[in-house]
Amino acid sequence: MTALLRYQAALLARSQRWLAPLLLYAAVLAVGVQGGQPVLGSLGVAAAALLPVTAWAVHLCVGQEPPAARTVVSAAVGARRVHLASLLTGTGCAAALAVVSTAVVLLVSAPVTDDGAHEVARSSAALAGLLASLCCVLLGAMVGALSTRPVVERRGWSVAAAVLGSLLVLVAAGSPARYAVTDLITGSRTGTFHQPVLPLLAALAVAAPVAYFVCRTAARRG
């Protein structure tokens, strides 16, 4: 699996397709995160924006191989492992971006509530922001996996499904991503927030079966 991950990462790096989602994410942070703003609200914006960016990254990794190359690699190691490696590569890149963006937001934001009446511990905010970001990364990977091949083959429908899926996961009642992001934004007003451990575990519990399903489907369809 390590060799497959290196192979997928090298393909992504050489293609330079990662520039588009990275620039989109940078643009969202430039608009939604300003220097000196309360840290929790800024972390919430950064986490929420990672969800569609992760879905996009997964799309890129799943579809980046030429069909002939994918057939050869699948024949050598199995279509299920090849598809899993592409999912893990997209998810891993987004997780690395989550770590970097959380550090940047902590550096430029103020550790206070919206009204400036209460201080916010940077260490607690950092952990909450990182966990919320990883929660959004996992759910974004789930959306990306379900909205591209082998589940959705046509590119137009695939893009539409990814956009609508990302929006629904962010706003739907009971969504772990919504809970994690909302708690950060609410905590920015009140000064009280929770570490989103349960949302992260819930996101993992949802994303893992989805990954198994799409990899099995990929193997069945060849």
Side-chain angles (χ1 to χ4, degrees):
M1 182 59 71
T2 302
L4 282 175
L5 291 175
R6 288 202 303 265
Y7 168 66
Q8 292 289 342
L11 284 178
L12 182 63
R14 286 198 299 267
S15 72
Q16 297 186 356
R17 294 178 180 177
W18 50 270
L19 276 173
L22 181 61
L23 290 176
L24 172 64
Y25 188 62
V28 171
L29 291 189
V31 173
V33 178
Q34 303 293 326
Q37 285 185 339
V39 65
L40 291 177
S42 297
L43 287 170
V45 171
L50 276 168
L51 201 152
V53 168
T54 304
W56 193 349
V58 168
H59 270 230
L60 293 178
C61 290
V62 169
Q64 66 182 343
E65 279 183 285
R70 190 176 184 90
T71 300
V72 171
V73 177
S74 297
V77 299
R80 182 180 300 183
R81 287 167 60 86
V82 172
H83 201 80
L84 178 61
S86 64
L87 295 180
L88 291 177
T89 300
T91 306
C93 291
L97 183 59
V99 174
V100 174
S101 62
T102 299
V104 170
V105 170
L106 287 170
L107 287 175
V108 303
S109 301
V112 294
T113 54
D114 288 350
D115 57 7
H118 303 282
E119 291 188 0
V120 176
R122 284 191 182 273
S123 57
S124 298
L127 180 58
L130 182 59
L131 293 180
S133 294
L134 293 178
C135 175
C136 290
V137 164
L138 287 173
L139 293 177
M142 178 196 72
V143 171
L146 289 174
S147 59
T148 189
R149 67 180 189 184
V151 181
V152 181
E153 296 287 351
R154 295 189 177 182
R155 183 176 295 275
W157 287 111
S158 179
V159 173
V163 173
L164 291 176
S166 297
L167 180 61
L168 286 174
V169 170
L170 280 173
V171 303
S175 168
R178 177 184 175 181
Y179 181 87
V181 172
T182 301
D183 191 61
L184 286 175
I185 295 175
T186 302
S188 187
R189 294 196 299 266
T190 64
T192 302
F193 62 97
H194 304 89
Q195 298 296 341
V197 176
L198 290 179
L200 178 60
L201 293 177
L204 181 60
V206 173
V210 168
Y212 175 80
F213 164 74
V214 296
C215 290
R216 186 174 180 180
T217 303
R220 187 169 62 248
R221 295 185 180 179

